[in-house]
Each structure stands twice: as structure tokens, then as C-alpha cells.
Amino acid sequence: MKLKKIMAVLLSCALVATSLFSMTACGDNSGNDKADGDGVYKVGICQLVQHAALDAATKGFQDALKEKLGDKVEFDYQNASDDPATCTTIVNQFVAGNVDLIMANATPALQAAVSATPDIPIVATSITDYATALDISDWTGKTGINVTGTSDLAPLDKQAEMVKALVPDAKKVGILYCSSEANSKYQANVVSASFKSMGLEYAEYTFSDSNDITQVVTKACSECDVLYVPTDNKAAANTEIITNVAEPAGIPIIAGEEGICKGCGVATLSISYYSIGYNAGLMAYDILANGKNPADMDIQYSTELTNKYLKSRCDKLNITVPEGYEAIEE
């Protein structure tokens, strides 16, 4: 009997221990309990493509977390080389590696991350419109799922007004963007309404990949007086192709952000990608260290906006730049 009682007590203790272990293992994906055995948070970064804007956002994100966590954070940075399918492979590796948080830089990276996990917190940046990217119809300012982050949306009506300010004789504007980028289409829809209200004709010129950019830009330049390029990752990665057609044709380009402007444009009303990345890093810190739920966190927008121009290209195209514009460093 004594032996049976001892065995029963031992079995009971084992069940309690198993229960406690299960409760710990099934905890949420936020707070200090998610750090590994050394107290180090593992953060996976999936960046769609390498170009100046996204690079700056990633750096800002890493700088913010390093300032807050020091050597208590490890980054696994992966670049998808502008291939959405590679984004899927990358984030699936992050999920398999049980990272504490995923940073998704650009819309295809965010969409891949959301498809890969409903549990691991996702902080995104360089997303123009989260409702469009995530197909959310009843937008409230927060996603309601395991996603939060920062937006790179600048006032599109103000960018449209730059056409009149810098190319006052323009009659028709060509809106140039990649057809596979949902947020580029969103920007095209919004900015076209502004052009219409200003009495300008407009037309959309879309390309699917870098192979057809030259043909599309050539057609746009032959039919329009000025081009508008939104914050489009495919365009940002191929500005040299665009400017090699537009500049000899004498067609100025108003750009959605500074990196594209430097590559092929004459002017932009731009946000700081470093700043939105940095703010995304602060949001990640709140999730990791303070246990905040990304579903309840409002998407943040930049308030740092600057009119900028590229002097050398403006000079070549005889563009007179109004006062209040800051020269982009060349």
C-alpha cells in the first residue's frame, strides 16, 4: 500500500509539472517570456528588394531596437531580391525557427508573413495602405490581427500639385507603376482624382517587370508632358532604366519618394524612410518587452514631409524650382 501511495504521489507531481510546462509553452508571442534562454530576442527581417528607401527603413528599425535592447536582440536579415515567392520562403523559415517577431519591409513581404503565421507578431514598414495590402474592408486604423507597423504614405494631393508648380504648361500626366503592386494601384487611383480636379488629363502606364519598363516608359513619354511615379518598389529598383528613356525625351518625373526622385525624378514630397523604420522598431520594442498586442496598435504615419528636388536634372530639363524646396544631395 505504501508503495502504491508513493507511486500515486509521483504520478500526480508529474501531471502537474506537465500541465505547467504546457501552459508556459502555449503562452502568447509577446513579452519578456519570448526571449530565448540567454534573454535574447530573435527578430527576422524580410525586405522585398534592395534600394535606398527600403534600406533606410531597415536601418532605422534595427537602430531603434539596438538602442532599446542592446545585445539582447539578434536580427536575421533576408533580402528577397524583388521576388514575392522568395518572401514566402524567407518568412516560412522564420516561422520554423520560432522567431519572436517578424519585420516585413514592403507589401509583398507583409502579405507573405501574414500568410505564414497568425501568431508571431509582425511589424511592417514601407506599406502605403494597410487596408489595401491586407484586403481589410472595414478599416479602423488598426489591423485587428497579429500585424502593426508604419506607413510610407505621403499626401498624394500635394504631390499632384507639384506638377502644376514645376511643369505649369503640362496638359497630360502619365502615371507610371508596376501592375503587381497593390499599393501602387491604390496611389494611382487617389492621385488621378487630384489630377482630374486640377483639369489635367492623365493616363496609367503599367509594367509587370523590368523587362517591359523601357517599352512602357517610351510610350508614356511619347504621349505625356510629365510623368508621376508613386512609391513603387519595382520602379525604385529600376530608376536607371526609367531615366535613360525619360531624360533624353525631355520628360520630367514627379516622384513619390526621395530615392526614386534621385534616380529618375525632378522633385518629390517625401517622407523619411529611416524615420518610419525607426518608429516601427519602437513599436516592435513595445511588443517584445512590454507585451503589447499588435492587433490593438494603430498604424503610424509620418509627419516629417519635405519638398525636395534634384538640381542637376532640373537644370537639364529647364525646370524652375519654386522657393521652399530642399536640394537632394548628389
Side-chain angles (χ1 to χ4, degrees):
M1 288 297 292
K2 284 185 178 181
L3 179 60
K4 287 184 178 181
K5 286 182 179 180
I6 291 172
M7 291 297 293
V9 169
L10 290 174
L11 179 60
S12 177
C13 290
L15 289 172
V16 170
T18 301
S19 177
L20 288 172
F21 174 80
S22 299
M23 290 172 65
T24 302
C26 295
D28 65 21
N29 288 292
S30 61
N32 287 315
D33 61 313
K34 278 296 291 174
D36 65 19
D38 296 324
V40 176
Y41 296 101
K42 295 183 292 183
V43 176
I45 297 175
C46 179
Q47 180 174 316
L48 173 64
V49 63
Q50 185 174 11
H51 63 70
L54 299 190
D55 291 348
T58 291
K59 186 176 188 310
F61 178 84
Q62 291 176 310
D63 285 353
L65 276 181
K66 286 177 183 175
E67 287 176 16
K68 288 290 188 178
L69 295 171
D71 59 0
K72 298 301 182 184
V73 60
E74 288 181 355
F75 299 107
D76 183 356
Y77 168 82
Q78 301 289 332
N79 191 299
S81 300
D82 204 18
D83 182 10
T86 302
C87 287
T88 299
T89 300
I90 291 169
V91 295
N92 282 336
Q93 290 173 349
F94 291 160
V95 173
N98 195 31
V99 298
D100 298 308
L101 183 140
I102 295 172
M103 190 276 243
N105 194 348
T107 299
L110 170 60
Q111 292 169 333
V114 170
S115 296
T117 176
D119 302 313
I120 296 174
I122 300 166
V123 176
T125 191
S126 311
I127 312 297
T128 303
D129 182 67
Y130 280 78
T132 300
L134 299 176
D135 195 23
I136 300 174
S137 57
D138 53 342
W139 183 246
T140 63
K142 57 194 71 171
T143 67
I145 57 175
N146 60 317
V147 175
T148 191
T150 56
S151 169
D152 63 357
L153 181 65
L156 297 173
D157 57 339
K158 300 298 182 185
Q159 291 185 345
E161 290 171 5
M162 298 178 82
V163 171
K164 284 287 191 183
L166 284 98
V167 196
D169 296 328
K171 299 289 192 297
K172 184 175 180 180
V173 184
I175 305 171
L176 179 70
Y177 65 95
C178 178
S179 57
S180 64
E181 294 204 21
N183 273 312
S184 296
K185 177 61 177 174
Y186 167 82
Q187 292 172 84
N189 290 340
V190 174
V191 81
S192 62
S194 294
F195 290 141
K196 184 177 181 179
S197 69
M198 294 162 59
L200 291 169
E201 292 183 62
Y202 63 89
E204 295 183 11
Y205 298 86
T206 63
F207 49 86
S208 58
D209 57 43
S210 58
N211 295 319
D212 60 350
I213 292 177
T214 297
Q215 180 182 353
V216 172
V217 177
T218 299
K219 178 176 171 58
C221 288
S222 69
E223 297 176 351
C224 301
D225 305 306
V226 59
L227 303 184
Y228 171 77
V229 180
T231 55
D232 181 285
N233 288 298
K234 187 74 73 175
N238 291 279
T239 56
E240 184 176 358
I241 297 175
I242 296 171
T243 199
N244 284 344
V245 177
E247 196 170 300
I251 302 299
I253 295 173
I254 305 300
E257 55 93 5
E258 184 176 343
I260 295 176
C261 186
K262 189 171 183 177
C264 65
V266 295
T268 182
L269 175 62
S270 186
I271 65 165
S272 165
Y273 275 80
Y274 179 87
S275 292
I276 64 169
Y278 188 92
N279 288 338
L282 295 180
M283 298 174 84
Y285 171 75
D286 270 343
I287 293 167
L288 292 170
N290 298 326
K292 284 200 173 181
N293 184 350
D296 300 329
M297 299 171 71
D298 287 329
I299 300 301
Q300 293 186 14
Y301 297 83
S302 177
T303 57
E304 300 177 34
L305 300 167
T306 308
N307 286 316
K308 295 191 174 185
Y309 74 104
L310 196 78
K311 186 179 187 305
S312 62
R313 196 169 288 124
C314 285
D315 290 345
K316 283 182 183 179
L317 298 175
N318 297 314
I319 301 290
T320 300
V321 180
E323 291 185 4
Y325 279 68
E326 177 184 310
I328 295 172
E329 184 177 348
E330 299 188 54

